[in-house]
Every structure is written in structure tokens, then in C-alpha cells.
Amino acid sequence: MTRNMLMQLRIERARNRLYVLTEKYGDFQHPAVIKQSMVLDELINQYNRAGEQIKKPIV
């Protein structure tokens, strides 16, 4: 499994956990939901940064 695929899997798991928490608490402002949203944001940012590094030419 490639690094890219692993990162996509981690993002999908984090997204699913966010869905579960929003269903459980019924509120986007609950601390657990906000925390999971931040985790998901960071994973997406890491994924995007890794993609940018691949696209940049080596100088």
C-alpha cells in the first residue's frame, strides 16, 4: 500500500469518526466534534502538503 493510499485511508477514518460524533452529540459545537474536526483538518493539510512536494521540481 502506498503512502498516498495510507493517508487517504486515515482521512476517511477520521471523516467517519467525525460523522459518528456529530450523530452522537447532535451538535457541531460539542468539544469532541470540534477536536475531531481539527484532527481531520490536519490530516487533509498533511495530504495536500505531501502532494505539493511531489509537484515541485527539484532544484
Side-chain angles (χ1 to χ4, degrees), residues 9-55:
L9 182 60
R10 290 181 67 197
I11 290 170
E12 190 57 34
R13 286 181 180 165
R15 185 176 291 129
N16 287 336
R17 176 137 173 81
L18 181 60
Y19 291 149
V20 168
L21 290 173
T22 54
E23 288 293 318
K24 179 177 180 179
Y25 296 111
D27 182 11
F28 288 105
Q29 297 300 315
H30 190 278
V33 174
I34 292 171
K35 183 176 179 181
Q36 185 61 30
S37 178
M38 292 170 62
V39 168
L40 177 58
D41 287 346
E42 182 56 33
L43 288 171
I44 292 170
N45 289 338
Q46 288 175 14
Y47 180 81
N48 287 334
R49 281 193 298 266
E52 288 173 5
Q53 290 175 355
I54 293 170
K55 293 177 186 174

